[in-house]
Amino acid sequence: MTERLNGRQDPPAASSAGGTSTGPAETPRTRKRLGPSPAVAIAFLLPAALLLGIWVVYPIVYSFVRSLFGAQNFSEFVGLGNYISIFTDPGTLTTIRNNLIWVIVAPIIVTTLGLIFAVLTERIKWATAFKLIVFMPMAVSLMAAGVIFRLVYEQSPDKGLANAVLTTVADTFSSSQGYPAARPREGDQSPVAAQDGGVVTKQPVQAGQPVLIPIVGVKPEVMPSNAQTAKTPAGEGLSGVVWFDFTQGGGGRNGAVDGAEKGLPGMTVEAVQNGQVAATATTAEDGSFRFEGLAPGSYTVRLPKSNFEASYGGLQWLGPTLITPAIIGAFVWVWAGFAMVLLAAGLAAIPRDALEAARIDGATEWQVFRRITVPLLSPVLLVVFVTMIINTLKVFDLVFIIAPASVQPQANVVALEMWRVSFGGGNNQGLGSALAIFLLVLVLPFMIMNIRRFRRGES
Amino acid sequence: MTTATAAAPSAKPSGLESGAPRRGLVSRIVDRIGSGAVQVIMILLGLFWLVPTLGLLVVSLRTNQVNSAEGWWTIFTKPAELTIQNYANLLGSGFTASFWNTVLITVPTTVLVIGIAAMAAYAFAWMDFPGRDTAFLVVVGLLIVPIQIALIPIASFYGATGIFGSIPGVVLFHVAFGLPFAIFLLRNFFVGIPASLLEAARMDGAPEWKIFVSVVFPLGKPAIASLGIFQFLWVWNDMLIALVFADTGNQPMTKYLQSQMRQFGSNTDILSSGAFMSLIIPLILFFAFQRYFVQGMMAGSVK
């Protein structure tokens, strides 16, 4: 069953659709003498003609007329009013802008990825398995794909795969532990004060006397699980402790390291002299730190602002800014397999000897790809590209499912707006009809293109 | 369109001048490293395409408490948390009815589209009647008409005839919008049937319906299989038509699950197991008949 994905032979439907070779070209005249009467032909066509007439052709006319009338019924003639509101209402303008982004971005990504996949699968032994995996989303409903990506894009890195990957990568490159909303112990007795979003010691400090930096306001959820009971370090060099100056249940003294108080691990600590950072250290699990190899002298010890910012939590995929790119990502996941399979079949049809001849003549793989493969593939590339443009113009399910209700205005597209306006609560069938006609006008050039291409293929 | 897919290999390799330098050592080394890199890249890409669906499967096999506490990938360290409870719960919910509605919509649609389109395709391919070529160009044009154009008119038509919200209404809408593609696909296949076969039957005086049933239909099986699988998946997976034309009692899975999206987060159990149930039959069909699926797609890639 897997031979098709190996993409070697042309399917019978596709090759006969090419139309240049057998059968239809020479048959019409000979057929005429033997064929049945037009009445029989009409009988065969009647069911299809009725269905197409009532469900497809008549609605086009109806929608056009309906679009010239107001929200409720045919009583209020508004002329082009609905069309004017499409192009003036900020809401619909957003949908048009989004559709524009879709049409510009998605087809290029899908076609490029499909081409890359098609070329690369020729170089691996498990090409059939790869094609099956990438092609599989085509069989899945866009609704299910939407649920799949809602889960991927969950905000919390503990639940959403996308942010889990991002934060893991970010954590590998930066070890800093964030303590948002934490602040120094305030008051005259406190040895430290807040400054520029960070914390500094009020008095200059020297080696030999441990620096105490009491912090309060650490939220339980940001307290690292590996934090140990705070310990004041002893010994050589400038050292100290950063700890959570708060004893659960009360009883601790302010500004002193009491029995059960926890150190704050992962804090970045700087020793500053004359405005210059002379040394940097990071606190251990018990909150202690020590500056190694620091010249003797007086320093100010500082906890820079970065300690008090939230640690990286990934991107807000389903927020108003990233929602459209996020949904385009799901679209690419669904359609890349389509592009790949079509292009792989196109690649398989390219004569091997042409490529071999070029390679023997010393062309690099890139030259072969750029000068031979791509030009020979260009008809298939165009088919894939145009199909994707049409699909992006009609995109509906993915936006509807993936965008949460609160950001749907920002993610909105024409097809969704049409449904929303006419059935999803808007109840304005005049505007809905105008949007449907607008959608039809958008695909019209491709309709004409298809007809032209078909005629050329037949003649 | 298909016309283009078949036309690819005609041009001669041009633009490549002879006398280019022989491939050097460097380029061969690059190729060697390249092939290792290609393997790695392809494995990563394969994972990228596979993992989201696996995630859905794992989420559907865990309770809401577990899912709200940790990501599905922790399953590799805690496989004991898997349970089929969510699927058991689906049985008692409105999902079961929506599953049958999906079947009741999809199967008749597929059968009707095949039958009606095959008749029309036969007429377009092998009968002469005035305006035949123009009529077929109209069909080609209708291939990409957006469904949205018919929502409002057909809703008012169904309202007037009293079939709004019913399964027959949904089926008829699907059939009509499935026809252009179906006629296009089958007609292009039927014209490839050898003329001699049909002429022999006509010489014998066989009536057209008999030729259609006993010659054209059997010969067209590969294309009909492609169309069938494609049409089945298309209707099975539709949400928009169901959203407008199926009322709550007749709603298919897609509409049922969509209505659950509003509480996303609190009902991950229903959504994930329901979504997985909705895609399991398409996936089985896809793996069993992917050859036909791909053929159908290639033959009608205008859609």
Side-chain angles (χ1 to χ4, degrees):
Chain A
M1 278 305 176
T2 54
E3 59 225 279
R4 184 60 248 151
L5 282 177
N6 291 329
R8 288 291 161 173
Q9 80 279 49
D10 261 358
S15 53
S16 60
T20 45
S21 49
T22 52
E26 63 262 34
T27 41
R29 269 168 203 84
T30 49
R31 228 192 303 162
K32 205 161 197 170
R33 284 172 278 129
L34 272 169
S37 70
V40 178
I42 286 165
F44 270 81
L45 285 168
L46 197 63
L50 272 178
L51 279 157
L52 284 176
I54 296 173
W55 271 267
V56 186
V57 179
Y58 152 76
I60 295 176
V61 181
Y62 182 105
S63 285
F64 177 70
V65 178
R66 187 69 189 77
S67 73
L68 304 175
F69 289 85
Q72 294 312 318
N73 47 43
F74 283 102
S75 60
E76 180 202 358
F77 183 80
V78 296
L80 294 178
N82 288 319
Y83 294 95
I84 291 168
S85 54
I86 289 179
F87 292 101
T88 49
D89 178 74
T92 41
L93 282 178
T94 311
T95 70
I96 294 173
R97 187 207 65 184
N98 284 341
N99 260 110
L100 206 63
I101 296 174
W102 273 90
V103 168
I104 292 171
V105 177
I108 290 180
I109 297 179
V110 170
T111 314
T112 313
L113 267 186
L115 181 59
I116 292 172
F117 289 2
V119 171
L120 290 186
T121 44
E122 295 204 321
R123 299 178 168 218
I124 54 172
K125 291 205 174 76
W126 46 288
T128 307
F130 182 85
K131 284 182 182 174
L132 273 177
I133 289 172
V134 177
F135 193 56
M136 189 185 63
M138 284 283 301
V140 171
S141 70
L142 294 171
M143 150 84 221
V147 173
I148 288 173
F149 275 85
R150 261 302 267 278
L151 293 168
V152 168
Y153 289 139
E154 283 253 40
Q155 176 67 56
S156 156
D158 291 333
K159 285 154 87 184
L161 182 63
N163 277 346
V165 172
L166 279 184
T167 51
T168 309
V169 172
D171 286 351
T172 339
F173 290 104
S174 120
S175 60
S176 96
Q177 170 77 43
Y179 292 95
R183 56 189 192 279
R185 168 73 67 194
E186 307 279 346
D188 295 341
Q189 302 298 313
S190 174
V192 290
Q195 190 188 71
D196 300 331
V199 174
V200 292
T201 50
K202 288 178 185 167
Q203 306 295 326
V205 294
Q206 279 119 26
Q209 61 176 106
V211 185
L212 300 180
I213 306 180
I215 300 289
V216 293
V218 179
K219 290 186 192 146
E221 63 264 26
V222 302
M223 195 68 191
S225 51
N226 61 353
Q228 306 283 320
T229 309
K231 214 168 64 196
T232 315
E236 295 293 300
L238 182 55
S239 62
V241 60
V242 184
W243 85 105
F244 186 23
D245 187 20
F246 171 79
T247 304
Q248 214 154 25
R253 289 163 303 143
N254 288 352
V257 182
D258 298 306
E261 289 176 352
K262 293 271 175 97
L264 296 174
M267 282 271 193
T268 306
V269 192
E270 293 170 345
V272 184
Q273 195 171 38
N274 305 326
Q276 300 282 323
V277 175
T280 307
T282 305
T283 56
E285 290 182 353
D286 58 6
S288 65
F289 62 91
R290 181 186 305 279
F291 295 107
E292 304 289 347
L294 191 66
S298 305
Y299 294 90
T300 304
V301 172
R302 180 168 78 186
L303 302 181
K305 187 180 173 184
S306 61
N307 289 314
F308 301 99
E309 286 161 350
S311 64
Y312 183 65
L315 294 170
Q316 212 188 342
W317 295 102
L318 300 176
T321 345
L322 282 181
I323 186 68
T324 298
I327 304 172
I328 290 178
F331 180 90
V332 170
W333 182 79
V334 171
W335 285 102
F338 168 85
M340 173 191 70
V341 169
L342 243 64
L343 289 166
L347 274 182
I350 291 179
R352 297 285 120 174
D353 37 348
L355 303 180
E356 280 314 310
R359 289 198 183 103
I360 287 166
D361 284 347
T364 63
E365 280 305 308
W366 173 249
Q367 281 174 319
V368 172
F369 176 76
R370 181 71 197 80
R371 301 276 181 81
I372 300 174
T373 311
V374 170
L376 285 179
L377 267 185
S378 59
V380 193
L381 284 169
L382 185 71
V383 168
V384 172
F385 194 71
V386 166
T387 309
M388 285 308 118
I389 290 181
I390 296 167
N391 279 333
T392 50
L393 286 174
K394 294 178 179 175
V395 65
F396 170 82
D397 305 44
L398 284 177
V399 181
F400 193 40
I401 296 295
I402 295 178
S406 56
V407 291
Q408 246 173 38
Q410 280 85 21
N412 209 351
V413 287
V414 176
L416 177 57
E417 177 70 0
M418 187 272 153
W419 177 83
R420 214 186 56 74
V421 156
S422 3
F423 301 98
N427 212 17
N428 183 344
Q429 306 214 323
L431 184 58
S433 297
L435 281 164
I437 292 290
F438 179 53
L439 212 52
L440 182 68
V441 169
L442 288 179
V443 300
L444 206 59
F446 304 104
M447 230 182 250
I448 295 166
M449 192 176 136
N450 276 342
I451 293 174
R452 283 210 180 137
R453 236 178 11 196
F454 179 77
R455 285 173 86 165
R456 215 182 309 135
E458 288 288 286
S459 61
Chain B
M1 210 191 307
T2 44
T3 42
T5 45
S10 55
K12 287 201 188 76
S14 57
L16 195 93
E17 267 59 65
S18 55
R22 288 236 153 243
R23 293 173 66 198
L25 181 65
V26 176
S27 103
R28 265 178 284 155
I29 291 173
V30 166
D31 276 5
R32 182 65 60 83
I33 298 169
S35 105
V38 164
Q39 297 285 339
V40 174
I41 291 171
M42 293 304 263
I43 289 171
L44 285 177
L45 286 170
L47 280 178
F48 196 84
W49 253 258
L50 196 59
V51 163
T53 319
L54 281 182
L56 178 75
L57 175 63
V58 176
V59 165
S60 76
L61 290 171
R62 295 172 121 191
T63 62
N64 265 357
Q65 284 100 317
V66 177
N67 278 326
S68 59
E70 56 196 20
W72 59 265
W73 46 91
T74 55
I75 200 66
F76 296 114
T77 53
K78 302 170 187 170
E81 282 171 349
L82 290 180
T83 164
I84 57 160
Q85 193 53 46
N86 296 340
Y87 289 91
N89 291 347
L90 273 190
L91 285 175
S93 70
F95 180 83
T96 322
S98 72
F99 184 92
W100 289 116
N101 286 333
T102 297
V103 174
L104 286 175
I105 292 169
T106 308
V107 173
T109 303
T110 309
V111 172
L112 282 172
V113 165
I114 289 174
I116 295 172
M119 285 169 61
Y122 175 50
F124 275 122
W126 291 104
M127 295 182 195
D128 265 318
F129 56 91
R132 182 185 70 175
D133 293 346
T134 317
F136 194 72
L137 288 182
V138 171
V139 172
V140 174
L142 292 181
L143 277 169
I144 58 168
V145 169
I147 283 171
Q148 273 80 4
I149 203 82
L151 296 181
I152 291 173
I154 297 301
S156 90
F157 170 57
Y158 281 4
T161 51
I163 58 170
F164 189 85
S166 69
I167 285 183
V170 178
V171 168
L172 285 172
F173 194 100
H174 272 301
V175 172
F177 272 85
L179 279 177
F181 171 74
I183 296 173
F184 179 76
L185 182 85
L186 292 183
R187 181 265 180 197
N188 286 345
F189 192 87
F190 289 169
V191 284
I193 294 174
S196 55
L197 281 177
L198 292 169
E199 274 159 15
R202 280 175 181 170
M203 295 268 244
D204 292 345
E208 286 300 317
W209 65 266
K210 204 162 178 199
I211 298 175
F212 172 68
V213 172
S214 55
V215 180
V216 177
F217 214 81
L219 284 174
K221 257 184 201 154
I224 289 170
S226 293
L227 171 65
I229 177 100
F230 215 69
Q231 188 66 40
F232 185 96
L233 289 177
W234 190 34
V235 177
W236 186 277
N237 290 336
D238 159 78
M239 182 173 72
L240 177 57
I241 294 172
L243 217 49
V244 175
F245 295 108
D247 58 26
T248 320
N250 297 319
Q251 65 186 0
M253 281 182 287
T254 44
K255 183 172 177 179
Y256 174 78
L257 291 173
Q258 191 278 323
S259 68
Q260 296 288 329
M261 282 309 281
R262 244 163 290 167
Q263 300 108 43
F264 191 89
S266 60
N267 60 355
T268 314
D269 50 346
I270 298 176
L271 267 176
S272 57
S273 54
F276 201 81
M277 281 300 290
S278 83
L279 61 78
I280 196 74
I281 287 182
L283 278 192
I284 291 171
L285 281 178
F286 168 69
F287 283 113
F289 302 108
Q290 44 111 341
R291 182 189 139 93
Y292 293 111
F293 182 60
V294 174
Q295 284 172 5
M297 190 191 74
M298 306 253 276
S301 52
V302 246
K303 254 177 117 58

